[in-house]
Tab-separated table of all heavy atoms in Angstrom:
chain	number	residue	atom	x	y	z
A	1	MET	N	-7.454	0.278	-3.885
A	1	MET	CA	-6.947	-0.602	-4.907
A	1	MET	C	-7.604	-1.970	-4.754
A	1	MET	O	-7.678	-2.517	-3.667
A	1	MET	CB	-5.435	-0.710	-4.760
A	1	MET	CG	-4.791	-1.398	-5.888
A	1	MET	SD	-3.088	-0.916	-6.117
A	1	MET	CE	-3.317	0.554	-7.080
A	2	LYS	N	-8.069	-2.510	-5.845
A	2	LYS	CA	-8.757	-3.798	-5.837
A	2	LYS	C	-7.759	-4.935	-6.044
A	2	LYS	O	-6.739	-4.774	-6.706
A	2	LYS	CB	-9.794	-3.841	-6.963
A	2	LYS	CG	-10.834	-2.772	-6.879
A	2	LYS	CD	-12.082	-3.334	-6.341
A	2	LYS	CE	-13.166	-2.267	-6.343
A	2	LYS	NZ	-14.294	-2.653	-5.618
A	3	ALA	N	-8.081	-6.084	-5.468
A	3	ALA	CA	-7.215	-7.249	-5.592
A	3	ALA	C	-7.130	-7.703	-7.037
A	3	ALA	O	-6.074	-8.153	-7.488
A	3	ALA	CB	-7.714	-8.374	-4.705
A	4	ALA	N	-8.215	-7.588	-7.785
A	4	ALA	CA	-8.202	-8.003	-9.191
A	4	ALA	C	-7.229	-7.154	-9.996
A	4	ALA	O	-6.551	-7.663	-10.903
A	4	ALA	CB	-9.601	-7.895	-9.774
A	5	ASP	N	-7.141	-5.867	-9.680
A	5	ASP	CA	-6.187	-4.992	-10.372
A	5	ASP	C	-4.754	-5.393	-10.051
A	5	ASP	O	-3.882	-5.366	-10.916
A	5	ASP	CB	-6.397	-3.537	-9.971
A	5	ASP	CG	-7.771	-3.020	-10.344
A	5	ASP	OD1	-8.382	-3.575	-11.284
A	5	ASP	OD2	-8.228	-2.064	-9.692
A	6	LEU	N	-4.521	-5.755	-8.802
A	6	LEU	CA	-3.170	-6.115	-8.375
A	6	LEU	C	-2.723	-7.441	-8.974
A	6	LEU	O	-1.540	-7.626	-9.256
A	6	LEU	CB	-3.104	-6.185	-6.854
A	6	LEU	CG	-3.303	-4.860	-6.121
A	6	LEU	CD1	-3.369	-5.102	-4.622
A	6	LEU	CD2	-2.201	-3.885	-6.451
A	7	LYS	N	-3.646	-8.357	-9.172
A	7	LYS	CA	-3.280	-9.669	-9.712
A	7	LYS	C	-2.794	-9.582	-11.143
A	7	LYS	O	-2.052	-10.449	-11.600
A	7	LYS	CB	-4.468	-10.623	-9.609
A	7	LYS	CG	-4.741	-11.061	-8.186
A	7	LYS	CD	-5.907	-12.019	-8.090
A	7	LYS	CE	-6.155	-12.391	-6.639
A	7	LYS	NZ	-7.303	-13.276	-6.476
A	8	THR	N	-3.200	-8.541	-11.857
A	8	THR	CA	-2.762	-8.397	-13.245
A	8	THR	C	-1.391	-7.743	-13.353
A	8	THR	O	-0.795	-7.754	-14.425
A	8	THR	CB	-3.785	-7.564	-14.051
A	8	THR	OG1	-3.887	-6.269	-13.471
A	8	THR	CG2	-5.143	-8.237	-14.073
A	9	MET	N	-0.892	-7.172	-12.258
A	9	MET	CA	0.408	-6.506	-12.267
A	9	MET	C	1.543	-7.517	-12.208
A	9	MET	O	1.390	-8.612	-11.678
A	9	MET	CB	0.539	-5.569	-11.056
A	9	MET	CG	-0.331	-4.376	-11.079
A	9	MET	SD	0.022	-3.367	-9.635
A	9	MET	CE	-0.885	-1.907	-10.023
A	10	THR	N	2.703	-7.107	-12.731
A	10	THR	CA	3.898	-7.945	-12.626
A	10	THR	C	4.511	-7.744	-11.237
A	10	THR	O	4.115	-6.846	-10.492
A	10	THR	CB	4.926	-7.559	-13.702
A	10	THR	OG1	5.364	-6.222	-13.438
A	10	THR	CG2	4.344	-7.651	-15.096
A	11	GLU	N	5.494	-8.566	-10.923
A	11	GLU	CA	6.137	-8.464	-9.611
A	11	GLU	C	6.871	-7.140	-9.451
A	11	GLU	O	6.914	-6.576	-8.359
A	11	GLU	CB	7.076	-9.644	-9.383
A	11	GLU	CG	6.334	-10.949	-9.166
A	11	GLU	CD	7.256	-12.088	-8.792
A	11	GLU	OE1	8.253	-11.844	-8.083
A	11	GLU	OE2	6.970	-13.213	-9.206
A	12	ASP	N	7.466	-6.638	-10.539
A	12	ASP	CA	8.159	-5.347	-10.477
A	12	ASP	C	7.169	-4.214	-10.220
A	12	ASP	O	7.460	-3.305	-9.448
A	12	ASP	CB	8.912	-5.082	-11.778
A	12	ASP	CG	10.109	-6.001	-11.940
A	12	ASP	OD1	10.626	-6.490	-10.917
A	12	ASP	OD2	10.519	-6.217	-13.090
A	13	GLN	N	6.027	-4.273	-10.853
A	13	GLN	CA	5.005	-3.245	-10.629
A	13	GLN	C	4.495	-3.298	-9.201
A	13	GLN	O	4.259	-2.257	-8.581
A	13	GLN	CB	3.838	-3.424	-11.611
A	13	GLN	CG	4.179	-3.110	-13.043
A	13	GLN	CD	3.065	-3.486	-13.995
A	13	GLN	OE1	2.332	-4.457	-13.777
A	13	GLN	NE2	2.931	-2.708	-15.060
A	14	LEU	N	4.328	-4.504	-8.670
A	14	LEU	CA	3.878	-4.639	-7.282
A	14	LEU	C	4.917	-4.063	-6.322
A	14	LEU	O	4.560	-3.390	-5.345
A	14	LEU	CB	3.616	-6.113	-6.944
A	14	LEU	CG	2.367	-6.735	-7.557
A	14	LEU	CD1	2.331	-8.228	-7.262
A	14	LEU	CD2	1.111	-6.066	-7.047
A	15	THR	N	6.183	-4.298	-6.601
A	15	THR	CA	7.250	-3.766	-5.757
A	15	THR	C	7.260	-2.242	-5.774
A	15	THR	O	7.420	-1.604	-4.737
A	15	THR	CB	8.615	-4.315	-6.225
A	15	THR	OG1	8.564	-5.739	-6.229
A	15	THR	CG2	9.722	-3.863	-5.309
A	16	ASP	N	7.076	-1.676	-6.964
A	16	ASP	CA	7.034	-0.214	-7.090
A	16	ASP	C	5.841	0.361	-6.335
A	16	ASP	O	5.960	1.375	-5.638
A	16	ASP	CB	6.971	0.205	-8.555
A	16	ASP	CG	8.245	-0.110	-9.313
A	16	ASP	OD1	9.290	-0.322	-8.649
A	16	ASP	OD2	8.195	-0.149	-10.556
A	17	GLU	N	4.694	-0.273	-6.476
A	17	GLU	CA	3.482	0.197	-5.797
A	17	GLU	C	3.640	0.084	-4.279
A	17	GLU	O	3.222	0.959	-3.537
A	17	GLU	CB	2.280	-0.623	-6.266
A	17	GLU	CG	0.957	-0.123	-5.784
A	17	GLU	CD	0.548	1.215	-6.376
A	17	GLU	OE1	1.017	1.554	-7.480
A	17	GLU	OE2	-0.220	1.931	-5.718
A	18	LEU	N	4.288	-0.992	-3.831
A	18	LEU	CA	4.517	-1.181	-2.401
A	18	LEU	C	5.426	-0.088	-1.854
A	18	LEU	O	5.158	0.471	-0.782
A	18	LEU	CB	5.137	-2.561	-2.145
A	18	LEU	CG	5.397	-2.931	-0.699
A	18	LEU	CD1	4.097	-3.000	0.081
A	18	LEU	CD2	6.110	-4.270	-0.630
A	19	ALA	N	6.468	0.253	-2.579
A	19	ALA	CA	7.376	1.318	-2.138
A	19	ALA	C	6.643	2.655	-2.060
A	19	ALA	O	6.839	3.423	-1.117
A	19	ALA	CB	8.564	1.418	-3.090
A	20	LYS	N	5.804	2.925	-3.039
A	20	LYS	CA	5.036	4.172	-3.054
A	20	LYS	C	4.091	4.254	-1.852
A	20	LYS	O	3.999	5.286	-1.183
A	20	LYS	CB	4.241	4.267	-4.353
A	20	LYS	CG	3.523	5.577	-4.555
A	20	LYS	CD	2.743	5.580	-5.841
A	20	LYS	CE	1.371	5.048	-5.511
A	20	LYS	NZ	0.401	5.117	-6.586
A	21	LEU	N	3.419	3.127	-1.556
A	21	LEU	CA	2.482	3.118	-0.431
A	21	LEU	C	3.202	3.220	0.913
A	21	LEU	O	2.699	3.852	1.836
A	21	LEU	CB	1.621	1.858	-0.478
A	21	LEU	CG	0.536	1.843	-1.539
A	21	LEU	CD1	-0.117	0.470	-1.617
A	21	LEU	CD2	-0.503	2.910	-1.265
A	22	LYS	N	4.375	2.597	1.021
A	22	LYS	CA	5.129	2.699	2.273
A	22	LYS	C	5.588	4.130	2.521
A	22	LYS	O	5.594	4.606	3.657
A	22	LYS	CB	6.311	1.735	2.277
A	22	LYS	CG	5.898	0.307	2.519
A	22	LYS	CD	7.109	-0.556	2.779
A	22	LYS	CE	6.637	-1.934	3.147
A	22	LYS	NZ	7.082	-2.331	4.458
A	23	LYS	N	5.970	4.830	1.454
A	23	LYS	CA	6.360	6.232	1.583
A	23	LYS	C	5.157	7.072	2.018
A	23	LYS	O	5.268	7.938	2.885
A	23	LYS	CB	6.912	6.747	0.265
A	23	LYS	CG	7.482	8.148	0.334
A	23	LYS	CD	8.043	8.589	-0.984
A	23	LYS	CE	9.387	7.919	-1.208
A	23	LYS	NZ	10.128	8.474	-2.347
A	24	GLU	N	4.001	6.784	1.421
A	24	GLU	CA	2.790	7.512	1.800
A	24	GLU	C	2.408	7.216	3.247
A	24	GLU	O	1.994	8.110	3.994
A	24	GLU	CB	1.633	7.133	0.873
A	24	GLU	CG	0.363	7.890	1.167
A	24	GLU	CD	-0.789	7.540	0.249
A	24	GLU	OE1	-0.593	6.763	-0.704
A	24	GLU	OE2	-1.896	8.054	0.487
A	25	GLN	N	2.566	5.962	3.670
A	25	GLN	CA	2.264	5.587	5.043
A	25	GLN	C	3.166	6.338	6.018
A	25	GLN	O	2.709	6.827	7.061
A	25	GLN	CB	2.424	4.081	5.237
A	25	GLN	CG	2.056	3.608	6.624
A	25	GLN	CD	2.339	2.134	6.813
A	25	GLN	OE1	3.290	1.586	6.258
A	25	GLN	NE2	1.503	1.481	7.589
A	26	PHE	N	4.446	6.454	5.682
A	26	PHE	CA	5.371	7.197	6.535
A	26	PHE	C	4.935	8.659	6.664
A	26	PHE	O	4.903	9.222	7.757
A	26	PHE	CB	6.793	7.117	5.981
A	26	PHE	CG	7.763	7.989	6.715
A	26	PHE	CD1	8.275	7.593	7.932
A	26	PHE	CD2	8.148	9.213	6.197
A	26	PHE	CE1	9.161	8.400	8.634
A	26	PHE	CE2	9.044	10.029	6.883
A	26	PHE	CZ	9.543	9.618	8.097
A	27	ASN	N	4.588	9.262	5.519
A	27	ASN	CA	4.155	10.661	5.541
A	27	ASN	C	2.877	10.837	6.349
A	27	ASN	O	2.734	11.818	7.091
A	27	ASN	CB	3.967	11.182	4.119
A	27	ASN	CG	5.278	11.343	3.390
A	27	ASN	OD1	6.314	11.574	4.003
A	27	ASN	ND2	5.249	11.203	2.085
A	28	LEU	N	1.942	9.900	6.222
A	28	LEU	CA	0.689	9.994	6.984
A	28	LEU	C	0.942	9.828	8.483
A	28	LEU	O	0.327	10.513	9.295
A	28	LEU	CB	-0.307	8.943	6.495
A	28	LEU	CG	-0.942	9.213	5.136
A	28	LEU	CD1	-1.717	7.986	4.659
A	28	LEU	CD2	-1.850	10.427	5.206
A	29	ARG	N	1.854	8.917	8.840
A	29	ARG	CA	2.190	8.747	10.261
A	29	ARG	C	2.825	10.011	10.814
A	29	ARG	O	2.548	10.429	11.938
A	29	ARG	CB	3.153	7.570	10.446
A	29	ARG	CG	2.462	6.258	10.601
A	29	ARG	CD	3.344	5.193	11.235
A	29	ARG	NE	4.760	5.303	10.925
A	29	ARG	CZ	5.408	4.489	10.113
A	29	ARG	NH1	4.782	3.509	9.509
A	29	ARG	NH2	6.695	4.646	9.904
A	30	PHE	N	3.691	10.617	10.029
A	30	PHE	CA	4.345	11.856	10.442
A	30	PHE	C	3.318	12.969	10.626
A	30	PHE	O	3.349	13.717	11.605
A	30	PHE	CB	5.398	12.251	9.407
A	30	PHE	CG	6.323	13.325	9.872
A	30	PHE	CD1	7.435	13.017	10.636
A	30	PHE	CD2	6.086	14.639	9.553
A	30	PHE	CE1	8.291	14.007	11.069
A	30	PHE	CE2	6.933	15.645	9.983
A	30	PHE	CZ	8.036	15.332	10.740
A	31	GLN	N	2.386	13.085	9.671
A	31	GLN	CA	1.341	14.096	9.770
A	31	GLN	C	0.439	13.835	10.972
A	31	GLN	O	-0.012	14.763	11.635
A	31	GLN	CB	0.492	14.112	8.495
A	31	GLN	CG	1.201	14.677	7.302
A	31	GLN	CD	0.383	14.552	6.036
A	31	GLN	OE1	-0.759	14.089	6.066
A	31	GLN	NE2	0.967	14.940	4.915
A	32	GLY	N	0.176	12.570	11.250
A	32	GLY	CA	-0.657	12.225	12.398
A	32	GLY	C	-0.005	12.601	13.708
A	32	GLY	O	-0.668	13.043	14.649
A	33	ALA	N	1.303	12.437	13.774
A	33	ALA	CA	2.024	12.770	14.998
A	33	ALA	C	2.037	14.269	15.250
A	33	ALA	O	2.064	14.704	16.404
A	33	ALA	CB	3.453	12.232	14.920
A	34	THR	N	2.018	15.047	14.176
A	34	THR	CA	2.034	16.500	14.339
A	34	THR	C	0.639	17.104	14.294
A	34	THR	O	0.488	18.318	14.379
A	34	THR	CB	2.903	17.152	13.240
A	34	THR	OG1	2.383	16.808	11.963
A	34	THR	CG2	4.344	16.714	13.359
A	35	GLY	N	-0.382	16.245	14.115
A	35	GLY	CA	-1.757	16.724	14.115
A	35	GLY	C	-2.178	17.402	12.826
A	35	GLY	O	-3.113	18.201	12.824
A	36	GLN	N	-1.535	17.095	11.717
A	36	GLN	CA	-1.835	17.750	10.447
A	36	GLN	C	-2.578	16.852	9.472
A	36	GLN	O	-2.916	17.296	8.382
A	36	GLN	CB	-0.539	18.216	9.785
A	36	GLN	CG	0.186	19.273	10.573
A	36	GLN	CD	1.512	19.631	9.925
A	36	GLN	OE1	2.003	18.911	9.068
A	36	GLN	NE2	2.078	20.744	10.349
A	37	VAL	N	-2.847	15.614	9.837
A	37	VAL	CA	-3.500	14.701	8.901
A	37	VAL	C	-4.958	15.127	8.706
A	37	VAL	O	-5.667	15.441	9.647
A	37	VAL	CB	-3.380	13.235	9.380
A	37	VAL	CG1	-4.179	12.970	10.626
A	37	VAL	CG2	-3.796	12.291	8.288
A	38	GLU	N	-5.349	15.204	7.426
A	38	GLU	CA	-6.701	15.651	7.103
A	38	GLU	C	-7.671	14.483	6.977
A	38	GLU	O	-8.793	14.545	7.446
A	38	GLU	CB	-6.688	16.456	5.804
A	38	GLU	CG	-5.919	17.749	5.922
A	38	GLU	CD	-5.820	18.479	4.589
A	38	GLU	OE1	-6.483	18.067	3.624
A	38	GLU	OE2	-5.071	19.464	4.539
A	39	ASN	N	-7.231	13.426	6.324
A	39	ASN	CA	-8.094	12.282	6.071
A	39	ASN	C	-7.572	11.092	6.881
A	39	ASN	O	-6.713	10.341	6.412
A	39	ASN	CB	-8.110	11.975	4.569
A	39	ASN	CG	-9.111	10.917	4.202
A	39	ASN	OD1	-9.822	10.411	5.050
A	39	ASN	ND2	-9.153	10.583	2.926
A	40	THR	N	-8.098	10.894	8.063
A	40	THR	CA	-7.591	9.835	8.931
A	40	THR	C	-7.920	8.445	8.411
A	40	THR	O	-7.209	7.487	8.710
A	40	THR	CB	-8.144	9.988	10.354
A	40	THR	OG1	-9.572	9.998	10.294
A	40	THR	CG2	-7.660	11.274	10.994
A	41	SER	N	-8.963	8.318	7.627
A	41	SER	CA	-9.310	7.004	7.097
A	41	SER	C	-8.304	6.541	6.047
A	41	SER	O	-8.209	5.344	5.761
A	41	SER	CB	-10.716	7.013	6.491
A	41	SER	OG	-10.766	7.859	5.376
A	42	ARG	N	-7.544	7.453	5.492
A	42	ARG	CA	-6.537	7.102	4.479
A	42	ARG	C	-5.432	6.249	5.092
A	42	ARG	O	-4.866	5.383	4.414
A	42	ARG	CB	-5.949	8.379	3.848
A	42	ARG	CG	-4.945	8.127	2.770
A	42	ARG	CD	-5.544	7.531	1.524
A	42	ARG	NE	-4.499	7.260	0.554
A	42	ARG	CZ	-4.513	6.240	-0.277
A	42	ARG	NH1	-5.532	5.435	-0.312
A	42	ARG	NH2	-3.518	6.063	-1.109
A	43	ILE	N	-5.132	6.468	6.369
A	43	ILE	CA	-4.097	5.679	7.057
A	43	ILE	C	-4.487	4.194	7.031
A	43	ILE	O	-3.683	3.335	6.695
A	43	ILE	CB	-3.908	6.172	8.501
A	43	ILE	CG1	-3.413	7.617	8.504
A	43	ILE	CG2	-2.952	5.271	9.267
A	43	ILE	CD1	-3.437	8.284	9.860
A	44	ARG	N	-5.720	3.912	7.367
A	44	ARG	CA	-6.214	2.535	7.385
A	44	ARG	C	-6.237	1.948	5.979
A	44	ARG	O	-5.869	0.797	5.772
A	44	ARG	CB	-7.604	2.525	7.993
A	44	ARG	CG	-8.207	1.165	8.139
A	44	ARG	CD	-9.567	1.283	8.797
A	44	ARG	NE	-10.131	-0.022	9.031
A	44	ARG	CZ	-11.356	-0.235	9.468
A	44	ARG	NH1	-12.135	0.792	9.740
A	44	ARG	NH2	-11.808	-1.442	9.653
A	45	GLN	N	-6.655	2.744	5.019
A	45	GLN	CA	-6.734	2.289	3.640
A	45	GLN	C	-5.346	1.937	3.092
A	45	GLN	O	-5.176	0.907	2.426
A	45	GLN	CB	-7.385	3.380	2.781
A	45	GLN	CG	-7.677	2.977	1.377
A	45	GLN	CD	-8.354	4.102	0.608
A	45	GLN	OE1	-8.384	5.241	1.066
A	45	GLN	NE2	-8.893	3.789	-0.542
A	46	VAL	N	-4.356	2.772	3.383
A	46	VAL	CA	-2.993	2.514	2.917
A	46	VAL	C	-2.443	1.247	3.567
A	46	VAL	O	-1.812	0.422	2.901
A	46	VAL	CB	-2.075	3.727	3.204
A	46	VAL	CG1	-0.618	3.372	2.999
A	46	VAL	CG2	-2.468	4.892	2.318
A	47	ARG	N	-2.696	1.078	4.847
A	47	ARG	CA	-2.216	-0.102	5.562
A	47	ARG	C	-2.799	-1.378	4.956
A	47	ARG	O	-2.099	-2.377	4.762
A	47	ARG	CB	-2.573	0.011	7.043
A	47	ARG	CG	-1.888	-1.006	7.908
A	47	ARG	CD	-2.170	-0.777	9.376
A	47	ARG	NE	-3.560	-1.070	9.676
A	47	ARG	CZ	-4.400	-0.226	10.288
A	47	ARG	NH1	-3.992	0.956	10.662
A	47	ARG	NH2	-5.641	-0.575	10.526
A	48	ARG	N	-4.069	-1.342	4.606
A	48	ARG	CA	-4.708	-2.516	4.008
A	48	ARG	C	-4.225	-2.768	2.590
A	48	ARG	O	-4.079	-3.914	2.169
A	48	ARG	CB	-6.225	-2.351	4.037
A	48	ARG	CG	-6.753	-2.495	5.443
A	48	ARG	CD	-8.231	-2.445	5.501
A	48	ARG	NE	-8.658	-2.636	6.882
A	48	ARG	CZ	-9.898	-2.891	7.228
A	48	ARG	NH1	-10.833	-2.965	6.313
A	48	ARG	NH2	-10.211	-3.060	8.496
A	49	ASP	N	-3.960	-1.700	1.846
A	49	ASP	CA	-3.421	-1.867	0.491
A	49	ASP	C	-2.034	-2.501	0.531
A	49	ASP	O	-1.713	-3.342	-0.310
A	49	ASP	CB	-3.363	-0.519	-0.240
A	49	ASP	CG	-4.718	-0.050	-0.734
A	49	ASP	OD1	-5.665	-0.869	-0.784
A	49	ASP	OD2	-4.845	1.139	-1.070
A	50	ILE	N	-1.230	-2.103	1.511
A	50	ILE	CA	0.103	-2.694	1.670
A	50	ILE	C	-0.021	-4.198	1.948
A	50	ILE	O	0.669	-5.011	1.342
A	50	ILE	CB	0.893	-1.982	2.788
A	50	ILE	CG1	1.298	-0.577	2.334
A	50	ILE	CG2	2.124	-2.795	3.190
A	50	ILE	CD1	1.894	0.285	3.422
A	51	ALA	N	-0.926	-4.554	2.837
A	51	ALA	CA	-1.132	-5.973	3.159
A	51	ALA	C	-1.633	-6.735	1.940
A	51	ALA	O	-1.205	-7.866	1.674
A	51	ALA	CB	-2.122	-6.102	4.315
A	52	ARG	N	-2.505	-6.114	1.175
A	52	ARG	CA	-3.048	-6.756	-0.030
A	52	ARG	C	-1.939	-7.007	-1.049
A	52	ARG	O	-1.859	-8.087	-1.643
A	52	ARG	CB	-4.137	-5.847	-0.613
A	52	ARG	CG	-5.051	-6.510	-1.581
A	52	ARG	CD	-6.219	-5.607	-1.964
A	52	ARG	NE	-7.171	-5.499	-0.873
A	52	ARG	CZ	-7.551	-4.338	-0.308
A	52	ARG	NH1	-7.068	-3.195	-0.734
A	52	ARG	NH2	-8.425	-4.325	0.673
A	53	ILE	N	-1.067	-6.041	-1.232
A	53	ILE	CA	0.038	-6.195	-2.183
A	53	ILE	C	0.995	-7.283	-1.714
A	53	ILE	O	1.447	-8.118	-2.501
A	53	ILE	CB	0.781	-4.863	-2.382
A	53	ILE	CG1	-0.094	-3.908	-3.190
A	53	ILE	CG2	2.112	-5.068	-3.077
A	53	ILE	CD1	0.471	-2.517	-3.331
A	54	LYS	N	1.310	-7.294	-0.420
A	54	LYS	CA	2.219	-8.319	0.100
A	54	LYS	C	1.623	-9.716	-0.066
A	54	LYS	O	2.339	-10.673	-0.377
A	54	LYS	CB	2.521	-8.054	1.572
A	54	LYS	CG	3.494	-6.930	1.790
A	54	LYS	CD	3.813	-6.795	3.261
A	54	LYS	CE	4.891	-5.768	3.509
A	54	LYS	NZ	5.239	-5.685	4.943
A	55	THR	N	0.326	-9.851	0.139
A	55	THR	CA	-0.333	-11.145	-0.013
A	55	THR	C	-0.258	-11.638	-1.450
A	55	THR	O	0.107	-12.790	-1.714
A	55	THR	CB	-1.804	-11.052	0.440
A	55	THR	OG1	-1.848	-10.647	1.798
A	55	THR	CG2	-2.517	-12.379	0.266
A	56	ILE	N	-0.576	-10.767	-2.382
A	56	ILE	CA	-0.576	-11.163	-3.791
A	56	ILE	C	0.845	-11.435	-4.283
A	56	ILE	O	1.080	-12.370	-5.040
A	56	ILE	CB	-1.298	-10.101	-4.635
A	56	ILE	CG1	-2.782	-10.138	-4.288
A	56	ILE	CG2	-1.089	-10.327	-6.118
A	56	ILE	CD1	-3.596	-9.047	-4.891
A	57	ALA	N	1.809	-10.636	-3.815
A	57	ALA	CA	3.210	-10.877	-4.198
A	57	ALA	C	3.676	-12.241	-3.666
A	57	ALA	O	4.404	-12.965	-4.350
A	57	ALA	CB	4.102	-9.756	-3.667
A	58	GLY	N	3.260	-12.575	-2.465
A	58	GLY	CA	3.606	-13.885	-1.900
A	58	GLY	C	2.982	-15.015	-2.680
A	58	GLY	O	3.619	-16.071	-2.890
A	59	GLN	N	1.747	-14.840	-3.120
A	59	GLN	CA	1.091	-15.857	-3.918
A	59	GLN	C	1.789	-16.045	-5.253
A	59	GLN	O	1.946	-17.175	-5.729
A	59	GLN	CB	-0.373	-15.481	-4.155
A	59	GLN	CG	-1.245	-15.565	-2.937
A	59	GLN	CD	-2.633	-15.005	-3.158
A	59	GLN	OE1	-2.912	-14.396	-4.184
A	59	GLN	NE2	-3.513	-15.219	-2.194
A	60	LYS	N	2.213	-14.943	-5.861
A	60	LYS	CA	2.893	-15.033	-7.155
A	60	LYS	C	4.257	-15.722	-7.015
A	60	LYS	O	4.644	-16.501	-7.864
A	60	LYS	CB	3.061	-13.646	-7.770
A	60	LYS	CG	1.784	-13.097	-8.329
A	60	LYS	CD	2.023	-11.782	-9.050
A	60	LYS	CE	0.732	-11.283	-9.604
A	60	LYS	NZ	0.789	-10.934	-10.993
A	61	SER	N	4.973	-15.415	-5.942
A	61	SER	CA	6.287	-16.031	-5.772
A	61	SER	C	6.147	-17.519	-5.411
A	61	SER	O	6.999	-18.317	-5.777
A	61	SER	CB	7.105	-15.286	-4.728
A	61	SER	OG	6.508	-15.426	-3.453
A	62	ALA	N	5.090	-17.889	-4.704
A	62	ALA	CA	4.883	-19.275	-4.361
A	62	ALA	C	4.449	-20.106	-5.573
A	62	ALA	O	4.679	-21.304	-5.632
A	62	ALA	CB	3.826	-19.394	-3.264
A	63	ALA	N	3.820	-19.443	-6.536
A	63	ALA	CA	3.342	-20.142	-7.728
A	63	ALA	C	4.484	-20.496	-8.676
A	63	ALA	O	4.325	-21.339	-9.551
A	63	ALA	CB	2.317	-19.281	-8.463
A	64	LYS	N	5.638	-19.873	-8.513
A	64	LYS	CA	6.765	-20.139	-9.407
A	64	LYS	C	7.418	-21.465	-9.113
A	64	LYS	O	7.453	-22.044	-8.163
A	64	LYS	CB	7.811	-19.026	-9.295
A	64	LYS	CG	7.360	-17.804	-9.989
A	64	LYS	CD	8.479	-16.791	-9.989
A	64	LYS	CE	8.092	-15.608	-10.845
A	64	LYS	NZ	9.150	-14.618	-10.896
């Protein structure tokens, strides 16, 4: 997910996307613990997307 795409989203959309990514992160961690994860690079990508969303959400709330 690109930062430019996230900046165009509303705060509600960012919250929904964050919840979706956190659920995916939980599932990936669970799969990693049981040795079933297929794409290990996805864990890192999801973690960075979560940080990106939190950063942009913080910027939007500070701008108000």
